[in-house]
Amino acid sequence: MMRSGSTLVESILSSHSKVWGAGEDSVFGSKIDDTINRVSAAVGAGSMQALQAAVAAQSAEVVDGMLQQIPLERRFTVSRIVDKQLFNFKHLGLVHLLFPDAPILHTTRNFMDVVLSTLRYNFNEAGLGWSFNLRELVEYFAM
């Protein structure tokens, strides 16, 4: 959830020389639909080999995309990437399927602090109009 401390956590982690903070422009997020379609097709085919191939291909595609975001002079020193796209929580099963060894950090903050902080900012331009409506914000938070 936005305003819950994800930027602080990313800043702390990416202060290490081997960690790259990818921010919220998630390569993974942009490939969700394609990943779900490929994995679903492989499951539908009923072949474990097809599933393993689809997972390996999608994982490599996401990693390649993330590596392209890292400046060339740092690309070969980075061994960890922090993807703080705030809606990855909706696809944790898929994240774990593609990256079974990746740690997943879950930040929490007092509910009222998150709600009040979110209402202070206008996220409508980012396509998050619900975040400016108290009822919708509470419903989303309860999801």
Side-chain angles (χ1 to χ4, degrees), residues 2-139:
M2 69 265 265
R3 314 301 306 152
S4 64
S6 59
T7 301
L8 175 62
V9 171
E10 181 191 42
S11 295
I12 292 168
L13 293 174
S14 63
S15 68
H16 192 284
S17 62
K18 293 188 176 192
V19 178
W20 175 256
E24 294 179 13
D25 292 332
S26 174
V27 172
F28 174 74
S30 69
K31 297 194 178 294
I32 293 279
D33 291 338
D34 186 42
T35 300
I36 290 171
N37 290 337
R38 282 187 179 180
V39 169
S40 296
V43 169
S47 164
M48 184 56 88
Q49 287 178 323
L51 177 58
Q52 290 172 331
V55 168
Q58 286 303 109
S59 178
E61 200 172 301
V62 170
V63 169
D64 287 345
M66 287 179 156
L67 289 174
Q68 296 304 314
Q69 293 180 331
I70 301 172
L72 193 55
E73 66 273 7
R74 296 241 4 246
R75 199 169 292 164
F76 301 102
T77 62
V78 169
S79 61
R80 300 285 186 267
I81 299 172
V82 178
D83 179 347
K84 70 170 220 121
Q85 213 298 328
L86 298 174
F87 303 106
N88 282 346
F89 76 91
K90 293 180 176 182
H91 307 286
L92 286 180
L94 201 54
V95 171
H96 182 67
L97 181 65
L98 295 178
F99 307 105
D101 298 326
I104 297 172
L105 304 180
H106 173 74
T107 59
T108 60
R109 184 178 176 196
N110 178 280
F111 169 75
M112 288 304 296
D113 290 341
V114 172
V115 169
L116 293 173
S117 182
T118 302
L119 287 172
R120 286 186 56 209
Y121 294 90
N122 185 357
F123 293 104
N124 196 31
E125 292 177 10
L128 305 173
W130 54 266
S131 68
F132 204 62
N133 178 298
L134 182 58
R135 174 166 293 164
E136 290 181 38
L137 180 59
V138 170
E139 286 174 5

